[in-house]
Amino acid sequence: MAFKPKSASETKAADLASSIVRIADRDGAPLTIGVDQLRQGNPRLTPLAIGQMFRKHGDTLDAALAERGYALVDYSDQGPGRGMAFEIAPA
């Protein structure tokens, strides 16, 4: 099978997943991760990009979390400028 390069959105989705996993590994689960925590680890993850990547590539995020023994319990987006959060728990 030929190599297929990742699109920019797939790369950002992988960045989002790795940022969430790093925070969960560091702080322990269960926890709620907000956009500010994600941006500290990776400034490329803007609130708009985070929401788009979650909606478009949620399966990538679920797979990365499951690989490390975590599960996404809830995702809340209260709208522009009001914040969003990922609730992570042990699988």
Side-chain angles (χ1 to χ4, degrees), residues 49-60:
I50 291 168
Q52 288 176 340
M53 293 309 100
F54 175 74
R55 287 186 278 290
K56 189 172 182 181
H57 298 288
D59 55 335
T60 301

Side-chain angles (χ1 to χ4, degrees), residues 20-33 37 68-71 86-91:
I20 290 174
V21 167
R22 270 195 312 267
I23 293 169
D25 284 346
R26 181 186 68 215
D27 296 343
L31 77 152
T32 301
I33 301 171
Q37 289 174 292
R68 296 297 293 240
Y70 301 115
F86 294 88
E87 189 175 333
I88 308 298

Side-chain angles (χ1 to χ4, degrees), residues 17-85:
S18 67
S19 292
I20 290 174
V21 167
R22 270 195 312 267
I23 293 169
D25 284 346
R26 181 186 68 215
D27 296 343
L31 77 152
T32 301
I33 301 171
V35 69
D36 292 334
Q37 289 174 292
L38 292 170
R39 297 226 36 211
Q40 285 176 353
N42 188 343
R44 288 179 11 148
L45 294 174
T46 64
L48 178 62
I50 291 168
Q52 288 176 340
M53 293 309 100
F54 175 74
R55 287 186 278 290
K56 189 172 182 181
H57 298 288
D59 55 335
T60 301
L61 177 60
D62 289 336
L65 288 169
E67 191 174 292
R68 296 297 293 240
Y70 301 115
L72 179 65
V73 176
D74 190 26
Y75 168 75
S76 59
D77 185 353
Q78 285 97 38
R82 299 190 61 209
M84 59 189 76

